[in-house]
Amino acid sequence: MVSRTLRRATVSAAALVTLTAVPAHAATHERDTTDTADSRAVALPAPDMAGLRAVLRTLTTQGAPGAIARVDDHGTVRTAAAGIDDRTTHRAIDNADRFRIGSVTKSFSAVVLLQLVDAHKLDLDASVDRYLPGLLPDKRITVRHLLSHRSGLYDYTNAMFANSVSGFEAVRDKVFTYRQLVRLSLQHPRTNAPGAAYSYSNTNFVVAGMLIEKLTGHSVGTEYRNRVIKPLKLRDTFYVHPGTKIPGRHAHGYLTQDRAGAQSVDATDQTVSWAQSAGALISTTHDLNTFFSALLSGRLTSASALAQMQRWTPVNSTTRYGLGLRRRDLSCGVSVYGHTGAVQGFYTYSFTSKDGRRSLTALANTSNNGTVLNTMAGALESAFCGKRTRTLQGSPLTGRGSYVTERRTAYEDIAPGIARD
């Protein structure tokens, strides 16, 4: 299923897109390799911190209680913040705050699997059925199809969160097994034949978590810690599932209601069991910058495995998807690499340069707000294009760094098949 644009406001039953109503993105990408233009690092202009601060201030006028951003650039650290992290205490939000990173978790899961490829314990082009016999209905679905969102497996979050708040409250404290989530997906027709099209689905990375646990004999949390968190000394990154609390200092996350004008819901405490290996990690701007810098500079996988992660499938005019990794093409000709994340109460953008030497992570402590999500793309422009950023006519921002990459940003991380307007 093609991801639909998220537009703030009311959801009706008619908004749930049927599985066959909208075609998935065509994909003839079994042969895809890293693009020539993508093969070398480009000299970057200085970050435009005034533009970045303007983006964060704008987010707080659009419904986000607070917003933060951190740029790590060749050893120089720059931070910015606007607004509050808690509507009860009104404490100022800060880059020291921990937060839920949503689908940025997918990049961690992909790294673990690519390390297993490096160890010759996993073949990307093998059928998932080789490792998890009988789990999926089609033996043609490969590990590569999962990690590139080309399996055709229906995203169960479409049905789960057709109504944002009631759907969330129904699962806030619930604990699922991986197989229960896969069964929710298999209750629906698949979106396309394996390998035929790109169609973002959380189901793919639930199965990825099952692969990690089957091949290692350990929980995904243990594998994240041993393979990524400890080696990179990520002191503020945690996988607490099925616990509901964010440990230590953290931002509160606020879920915007589908009904315009209704009070947002504090969604900070939840199991995130509906996502697990697809979206349940907790981190900070510092740790995410460290992670993506390490990944793109070759410190987490072999060069050949990293090249596999960068076999791109087009998503839209500015975005491509590899194996658990997004590429965003910016207005100044620079491409950046990372992932976006959406989980109830939190939006995250985390990207790095081709050589991993400049990284940006930005957070807004809200969700279900397409205006905020779209504006956050401007943080990438300010951080990587600097004052060369061009302004889009009709952009919600003004002044330096006021470019929004796409005026209507595709919303994929939760319920990609739901249109909200």
Side-chain angles (χ1 to χ4, degrees):
M1 180 190 308
V2 68
S3 61
R4 303 292 298 272
T5 302
L6 177 66
R7 298 180 295 273
R8 264 282 276 119
T10 305
V11 170
S12 66
L16 181 58
V17 180
T18 62
L19 296 178
T20 57
V22 184
H25 296 288
T28 56
H29 304 293
E30 296 291 353
R31 303 182 303 277
D32 267 8
T33 57
T34 303
D35 295 330
T36 302
D38 182 42
S39 62
R40 56 188 173 83
V42 176
L44 300 176
D48 179 8
M49 293 306 294
L52 183 55
R53 286 190 290 270
V55 170
L56 301 188
R57 288 194 300 269
T58 300
L59 294 173
T60 65
T61 70
Q62 295 173 334
I68 52 176
R70 174 179 170 127
V71 178
D72 285 88
D73 183 21
H74 297 72
T76 299
V77 178
R78 300 174 175 90
T79 62
I84 58 175
D85 69 5
D86 187 331
R87 281 182 165 162
T88 300
T89 66
H90 298 281
R91 184 176 68 176
I93 198 167
D94 189 271
N95 275 271
D97 287 338
R98 296 166 180 166
F99 52 88
R100 300 192 186 279
I101 68 173
S103 285
V104 183
T105 303
K106 292 178 171 67
S107 296
F108 284 72
S109 297
V111 164
V112 173
L113 288 176
L114 268 294
Q115 288 182 0
L116 293 171
V117 171
D118 282 335
H120 307 291
K121 294 183 178 180
L122 179 68
D123 181 347
L124 287 172
D125 295 308
S127 170
V128 173
D129 194 70
R130 175 193 293 184
Y131 307 105
L132 298 168
L135 176 70
L136 302 180
D138 193 330
K139 293 184 179 181
R140 295 175 299 168
I141 297 174
T142 67
V143 178
R144 188 185 301 277
H145 292 151
L146 295 177
L147 299 185
S148 59
H149 293 296
R150 293 184 297 123
S151 69
L153 294 171
Y154 172 79
D155 191 331
Y156 58 87
T157 67
N158 288 328
M160 186 176 285
F161 300 124
N163 293 290
S164 298
V165 174
S166 61
F168 167 65
E169 295 294 359
V171 300
R172 178 197 278 262
D173 298 314
K174 193 165 183 177
V175 177
F176 294 93
T177 67
Y178 284 127
R179 288 185 180 273
Q180 284 175 324
L181 295 174
V182 172
R183 284 197 293 270
L184 289 176
S185 169
L186 297 182
Q187 290 173 6
H188 301 267
R190 282 173 281 153
T191 57
N192 50 266
Y198 171 90
S199 184
Y200 191 96
S201 175
N202 285 287
T203 310
N204 292 317
F205 278 80
V206 166
V207 180
M210 297 180 72
L211 285 170
I212 290 170
E213 297 194 348
K214 177 66 177 291
L215 294 171
T216 66
H218 302 136
S219 70
V220 293
T222 296
E223 292 302 306
Y224 294 149
R225 285 191 297 275
N226 291 344
R227 295 175 177 272
V228 180
I229 295 171
K230 288 182 179 178
L232 295 181
K233 296 181 173 62
L234 305 181
R235 295 181 177 87
D236 296 302
T237 300
F238 304 93
Y239 187 78
V240 301
H241 177 266
T244 61
K245 301 292 185 180
I246 301 176
R249 173 172 175 145
H250 61 272
H252 283 242
Y254 296 90
L255 171 61
T256 304
Q257 299 228 30
D258 295 325
R259 180 167 53 87
Q263 181 67 36
S264 60
V265 174
D266 187 334
T268 310
D269 294 344
Q270 64 156 310
T271 63
V272 203
S273 195
W274 60 267
Q276 300 186 51
S277 52
L281 274 167
I282 293 161
S283 195
T284 59
T285 57
H286 166 272
D287 280 9
L288 291 184
N289 281 356
T290 300
F291 168 71
F292 279 116
S293 177
L295 175 58
L296 268 292
S297 62
R299 291 189 282 136
L300 287 173
T301 68
S302 68
S304 61
L306 181 57
Q308 291 295 320
M309 292 186 77
Q310 296 180 81
R311 289 180 61 173
W312 305 113
T313 299
V315 176
N316 57 38
S317 63
T318 62
T319 306
R320 291 172 179 252
Y321 204 93
L323 302 183
L325 189 67
R326 290 191 188 276
R327 173 181 133 191
R328 294 288 295 259
D329 300 329
L330 306 182
S331 68
C332 59
V334 169
S335 294
V336 293
Y337 308 82
H339 216 287
T340 52
V343 62
Q344 290 88 356
F346 303 95
Y347 280 144
T348 304
Y349 269 62
S350 190
F351 287 83
T352 194
S353 57
K354 180 66 178 178
D355 60 6
R357 299 186 70 183
R358 182 183 298 178
S359 302
L360 163 86
T361 296
L363 164 82
N365 58 339
T366 190
S367 67
N368 197 34
N369 183 327
T371 304
V372 165
L373 182 63
N374 189 43
T375 297
M376 287 184 72
L380 295 177
E381 294 284 336
S382 294
F384 294 99
C385 292
K387 296 178 182 178
R388 285 171 19 191
T389 294
R390 67 181 174 87
T391 302
L392 253 189
Q393 184 177 4
S395 166
L397 305 179
T398 57
R400 291 187 296 178
S402 60
Y403 180 90
V404 175
T405 313
E406 295 216 344
R407 288 194 57 196
R408 296 170 65 181
T409 298
Y411 176 79
E412 290 192 319
D413 296 321
I414 301 177
I418 303 299
R420 307 189 193 282
D421 56 19

